Amino acid sequence: MKSFLTDENIVVKDGTNFKLSNYSTQYNGGITSEDEAKELLAKANKEMGKLQNKLYATDNHSVLLVFQAMDAAGKDSTIRSVFSGVNPTGFQVSSFKAPSKNELDHDFLWRCNLALPERGRIGIFNRSHYEEVLVCKVHPEYVLGQNIPSIQSLNDIDDHFWQMRYKSIRNWEKHLAASGTLILKFFLNVSKEEQKARFLSRIEETKKNWKFSFGDLKERARWNDYMDAYQSAITDTADKDAPWYIIPADNKPVMRSMVASIVTEALANLKLKYPTVGEKEMDEMRQAKEILENES
């Protein structure tokens, strides 16, 4: 199976020299055909299922996978395809829309903290705490609705404010990693041209009409602002314990196979083993076997 976990063309563990524009939306990592991508995905699905069983049995790690992207990049379909082989018992997906009144009455990390996967489970954030430094940075008026004592006007939402948010995110993720959470963050990097094609497809194909929202065009008009927000967020939060993966998203089969390979290899690197039982338990199993075999 191809390895993308440490591929310098997509992984960012230190944002010091990071520049989003240097990352291709069409990089294929040596995957030369759709059939090859599908085969790689299928192998990763199968292996991921085995590793998930060990994760669940071992119960000493949790896995948090963060997915961020522009509209039409393929988040939902990627999550669906990549994790088709996992056991739902040890798997959860959390989506974060506009915060509720109750959520606004807490700090910006509170609702994500509630959704964290417990040990033994894989948790996915379909959008995440990063919305607070992405959509809120493009639309700072949303911050005014969070009733933060020091924020009285848009003028108060300055560079220092965003730096403090990045710091909060870094510290939170470091705490999670130190507590046994494997963190992988994926930015599905779709080009503006490909997004246009996918929007047009949603309009022109009846079966896709339900996916289209005119509001998406308003956000598309702020494309450069969003790219600047992603640039800053990744620069300030990429870390070896919580790396970002800039996944080329113009080719969906390649994108899905890369994500699946990264998650599978990262799980394998945890060196998970099924728990062993003590002599007392072994003796009880021997007794149980004898009882079962002697049943009439």
Side-chain angles (χ1 to χ4, degrees):
M1 191 164 63
K2 292 182 183 293
S3 174
F4 297 103
L5 189 67
T6 58
D7 188 336
E8 294 181 354
N9 293 288
I10 57 177
V11 65
V12 186
K13 295 184 178 181
D14 181 349
T16 304
N17 298 310
F18 172 71
K19 191 172 183 181
L20 181 56
S21 60
N22 289 339
Y23 289 76
S24 171
T25 62
Q26 299 180 355
Y27 172 66
N28 65 18
I31 301 172
T32 57
S33 69
E34 184 171 326
D35 286 343
E36 184 182 358
K38 289 180 177 179
E39 182 180 352
L40 181 60
L41 175 61
K43 288 181 179 179
N45 285 155
K46 185 175 181 179
E47 185 63 22
M48 193 186 303
K50 296 177 182 178
L51 291 165
Q52 186 209 14
N53 286 337
K54 290 183 179 181
L55 177 75
Y56 189 79
T58 305
D59 197 33
N60 61 6
H61 285 85
S62 58
V63 179
L64 176 62
L65 308 173
V66 173
F67 285 85
Q68 291 288 156
M70 296 293 286
D71 295 314
K75 282 192 290 75
D76 293 347
S77 63
T78 296
I79 292 169
R80 204 163 48 240
S81 298
V82 169
F83 301 97
S84 61
V86 302
N87 186 337
T89 303
F91 179 72
Q92 64 196 58
V93 179
S94 302
S95 297
F96 297 96
K97 307 295 185 182
S100 66
K101 172 69 166 61
N102 184 43
E103 289 167 343
L104 288 172
D105 280 338
H106 295 82
D107 70 271
F108 79 94
L109 289 170
W110 179 77
R111 64 176 181 166
C112 292
N113 205 62
L114 290 179
L116 287 171
E118 58 265 41
R119 289 189 177 93
R121 293 174 65 90
I122 297 173
I124 288 180
F125 283 1
N126 185 352
R127 299 192 188 277
S128 66
H129 46 298
Y130 281 95
E131 294 294 282
E132 295 290 339
V133 291
L134 294 169
V135 67
C136 284
K137 195 167 188 181
V138 175
H139 297 281
E141 63 273 15
Y142 294 167
V143 177
L144 295 179
Q146 296 180 1
N147 297 322
I148 301 171
S150 60
I151 305 299
Q152 302 300 316
S153 71
L154 291 177
N155 291 332
D156 297 323
I157 308 173
D158 54 13
D159 185 62
H160 176 72
F161 172 83
W162 297 116
Q163 290 301 322
M164 290 302 294
R165 284 216 159 168
Y166 298 139
K167 182 178 180 180
S168 293
I169 290 172
R170 288 196 304 272
N171 289 341
W172 186 58
E173 291 177 350
K174 283 182 179 296
H175 167 71
L176 295 178
S179 301
T181 300
L182 170 66
I183 305 172
L184 303 173
K185 301 177 292 192
F186 299 96
F187 170 51
L188 306 186
N189 188 24
V190 70
S191 67
K192 192 174 184 181
E193 294 75 17
E194 180 63 21
Q195 187 197 59
K196 176 181 177 180
R198 292 179 187 177
F199 280 168
L200 287 172
S201 176
R202 291 179 178 183
I203 294 169
E204 294 166 356
E205 297 183 37
T206 304
K207 66 180 181 180
K208 295 182 180 180
N209 286 169
W210 66 274
K211 292 183 177 182
F212 182 75
S213 170
F214 196 81
D216 292 344
L217 291 187
K218 294 180 180 179
E219 298 307 296
R220 175 178 167 81
R222 304 291 299 273
W223 183 275
N224 290 340
D225 294 331
Y226 274 104
M227 292 301 103
D228 287 344
Y230 273 107
Q231 169 69 44
S232 296
I234 295 170
T235 295
D236 282 281
T237 62
D239 185 84
K240 62 180 179 63
D241 292 322
W244 276 101
Y245 287 88
I246 316 303
I247 306 295
D250 283 3
N251 184 313
K252 287 186 177 181
V254 169
M255 170 178 65
R256 294 164 184 163
S257 63
M258 283 186 175
V259 172
S261 297
I262 290 165
V263 175
T264 301
E265 188 173 355
L267 282 170
N269 285 348
L270 293 177
K271 306 298 183 184
L272 301 167
K273 295 181 180 179
Y274 286 111
T276 56
V277 297
E279 187 57 38
K280 177 183 178 183
E281 289 78 10
M282 290 295 295
D283 185 56
E284 289 175 344
M285 284 191 287
R286 283 190 288 268
Q287 293 180 48
K289 180 180 179 182
E290 182 178 348
I291 292 170
L292 290 169
E293 290 179 340
N294 290 326
E295 282 185 349
S296 57

